[in-house]
Amino acid sequence: MNEECKPELLNELTRRIDSAGGITFAEFMEQALYHPDYGYYTAPRTRIGKQGDFFTSSSVHSCFGQLIARQLTQMWHLLGAGAFTIAEQGAGEGHLALDILDAIAEEAPDFYAALDYRIVEISADNRARQAEALGEHLVAGRVAWCELPELKRMTGCFLTNELVDSFPVHLIEKQGGELKEVFVVNSAEGFVEELRDLSTEEIRDYLNRAGVTILEGNRCEVNLAAGPWMRQVAEVLERGFVLTVDYGYLADELYAPYRHAGTFLCYHRHQTNEEPYRRVGCQDMTAHVDFTRLQMVGEERGLKALYFGQQYQFLMALGFLELLIEMQSRETDPQKAQAIRMNLKTLVLPEGGMGESFKVLVQGKNVGQPELLCQKKIRDLRMC
Ligand SMILES: C[S@@+](CC[C@H](N)C(=O)[O-])C[C@H]1O[C@@H](n2cnc3c(N)ncnc32)[C@H](O)[C@@H]1O
């Protein structure tokens, strides 16, 4: 049976599936996450942090935003230190925006004065939470909300943290030598899966272009929505950078033969599960990001990949260690100092942390081939 969480959403999905005779998993996921009234991201709920369902890097420690602010400040200088837009799509509780704006206001007041921080956010509930978090910067006239097309001709940096992993994915399986797609249908037991022919040839085309072969019996995800999204971002950006942080891999690793069940997961109260038909609308659903797809589509639209690395390398290059030492030395309470260490370790540790599975992609448009701060090699870092 479908576990009741939002009966209205279950009824609507059941009706939709009945009238279509089955819907793709991607459509099911889109409704579960973004139904205008009952979706996981749209209905009022604490999603991120201790009281929510999952942590993001920006909810772990303000140091994440402070270090990204250093990279953004260098980008501002590289573009001539004039008017500069930071556009953040999918800003959650507004933690990252707050930490970036606080850091820039304190460390680079000239940049702060030239800055227009725009948030593109699908969820009205999140927009309200962001406005609450960003009060001071709102009053200072530095922040506004807009739709993506309104950013047309922007100069600056388009930023996301854990946005692309929350786009709906198509679930694909190789059976009898053929690529098949998971459809969701109604049954007496609730929602169940049925394997059918691909809903669109785009799926096969993309896997072919990425040069990956799915092993017989394996399941994987294809995030088709990431393509049009990347195209739209490339289109609105006239000059500047796109900085994407998320968990994921390049295609050869994402679709590797040993990854039998793909990467799809649900998050509820800090526990993971692989049961998307339970708690529909009350748990997060996500899949690892295919960074090859972002790079491929970006290249076609004038976005040149300037940097791709693991989050720990990115943060270390921007001064993670110095910041850790500085924060520790300022903290006189040993317990609080220990808490700082633990939180910061989460950002860079490979196992059980976010250091390795999280990747950072920086693309540039009309910026040449600048040497970015984040490209500094760990061996060249000054250890204080
Ligand atoms: C996993 S949360 C990440 C939150 C935040 N970036 C952080 O670091 O904590 C995903 C965010 O993306 C938003 N979102 C998802 N799809 C979106 C879209 N197409 N346009 C704008 N926002 C979107 C969600 O409402 C949510 O705020």
Side-chain angles (χ1 to χ4, degrees):
M1 288 296 283
N2 298 322
E3 193 172 313
E4 291 265 327
C5 170
K6 291 183 179 163
E8 303 91 340
L9 182 57
L10 290 185
N11 290 341
E12 193 158 326
L13 275 163
T14 306
R15 264 200 311 277
R16 198 180 259 255
I17 292 170
D18 255 345
S19 78
I23 59 175
T24 62
F25 183 81
E27 187 177 343
F28 176 84
M29 182 169 168
E30 179 162 23
Q31 291 300 309
L33 294 183
Y34 304 111
H35 181 283
D37 300 316
Y38 313 118
Y40 174 76
Y41 278 105
T42 33
R45 177 186 180 91
T46 301
R47 290 165 278 265
I48 304 176
K50 209 168 172 184
Q51 309 303 324
D53 298 306
F54 55 91
F55 287 106
T56 58
S57 296
S58 59
S59 64
V60 169
H61 201 280
S62 61
C63 153
F64 181 70
Q66 287 174 45
L67 293 171
I68 290 183
R70 290 184 184 174
Q71 182 54 80
L72 292 165
T73 306
Q74 188 213 13
M75 289 170 173
W76 173 63
H77 283 293
L78 286 168
L79 297 192
F84 190 97
T85 299
I86 298 173
E88 185 188 355
Q89 187 173 2
E93 304 277 325
H95 294 137
L96 183 58
L98 178 64
D99 297 336
I100 288 174
L101 283 160
D102 280 352
I104 294 176
E106 193 176 321
E107 288 171 26
D110 292 351
F111 180 20
Y112 188 75
L115 182 58
D116 177 20
Y117 201 108
R118 296 290 193 97
I119 298 180
V120 178
E121 173 57 61
I122 199 171
S123 156
D125 183 50
N126 275 345
R127 284 197 297 274
R129 289 163 186 269
Q130 293 153 13
E132 206 171 306
L134 294 168
E136 205 183 299
H137 299 289
L138 261 179
V139 173
R142 298 274 70 93
V143 189
W145 284 259
C146 69
E147 298 298 324
L148 189 42
E150 292 173 61
L151 293 166
K152 191 99 189 122
R153 285 195 278 283
M154 82 168 242
T155 293
C157 181
F158 194 97
L159 169 71
T160 62
N161 180 48
E162 293 196 44
L163 169 74
V164 185
D165 73 79
S166 65
F167 289 171
V169 290
H170 294 259
L171 288 187
I172 307 301
E173 251 183 64
K174 180 98 163 258
Q175 291 296 347
E178 288 289 327
L179 288 178
K180 296 282 179 189
E181 179 163 357
V182 172
F183 279 70
V184 183
V185 297
N186 293 321
S187 82
E189 283 76 46
F191 300 133
V192 291
E193 298 186 349
E194 210 174 271
L195 283 187
R196 296 187 183 169
D197 290 342
L198 296 182
S199 60
T200 159
E201 276 305 306
E202 259 188 87
I203 293 167
R204 196 188 325 273
D205 290 350
Y206 169 66
L207 292 171
N208 285 341
R209 281 183 44 202
V212 294
T213 307
I214 307 303
L215 196 73
E216 179 68 21
N218 274 10
R219 182 177 272 212
C220 64
E221 309 86 24
V222 175
N223 184 339
L224 280 186
W229 170 75
M230 188 83 270
R231 260 176 237 128
Q232 213 183 352
V233 172
E235 228 159 76
V236 296
L237 184 68
E238 182 152 305
R239 183 163 176 249
F241 303 88
V242 183
L243 200 165
T244 308
V245 186
D246 221 317
Y247 37 88
Y249 306 102
L250 293 175
D252 57 351
E253 201 179 343
L254 184 64
Y255 298 108
Y258 57 80
R259 211 178 288 289
H260 302 298
T263 63
F264 177 83
L265 275 181
C266 303
Y267 282 83
H268 182 73
R269 306 257 178 268
H270 300 281
Q271 303 283 323
T272 60
N273 69 76
E274 291 167 41
E275 299 173 289
Y277 310 113
R278 290 180 63 195
R279 305 188 195 96
V280 182
C282 292
Q283 61 178 2
D284 193 19
M285 296 179 185
T286 164
H288 278 49
V289 171
D290 176 355
F291 279 96
T292 298
R293 182 154 167 80
L294 299 187
Q295 293 188 39
M296 244 184 202
V297 177
E299 289 281 344
E300 287 163 7
R301 299 292 163 131
L303 289 177
K304 192 164 163 185
L306 301 174
Y307 173 87
F308 178 63
Q310 289 160 330
Q311 177 164 299
Y312 85 88
Q313 296 167 320
F314 176 82
L315 295 178
M316 294 288 242
L318 293 172
F320 176 85
L321 284 179
E322 290 93 324
L323 197 57
L324 171 65
I325 292 164
E326 194 187 306
M327 282 178 169
Q328 289 256 74
S329 64
R330 266 192 271 132
E331 188 51 72
T332 48
D333 178 336
Q335 268 184 339
K336 286 190 184 154
Q338 161 92 349
I340 291 176
R341 272 200 305 279
M342 294 312 289
N343 279 338
L344 293 187
K345 268 163 74 178
T346 305
L347 292 176
V348 293
L349 281 189
E351 272 169 41
M354 295 161 148
E356 214 168 50
S357 52
F358 279 71
K359 308 291 188 317
V360 182
L361 171 66
V362 183
Q363 296 156 294
K365 183 171 175 189
N366 299 327
V367 294
Q369 189 72 46
E371 194 154 317
L372 297 170
L373 280 181
C374 64
Q375 286 169 310
K376 217 182 231 179
K377 295 274 175 282
I378 289 182
R379 64 169 183 271
D380 300 332
L381 295 178
R382 195 171 48 88
M383 299 294 165
C384 42

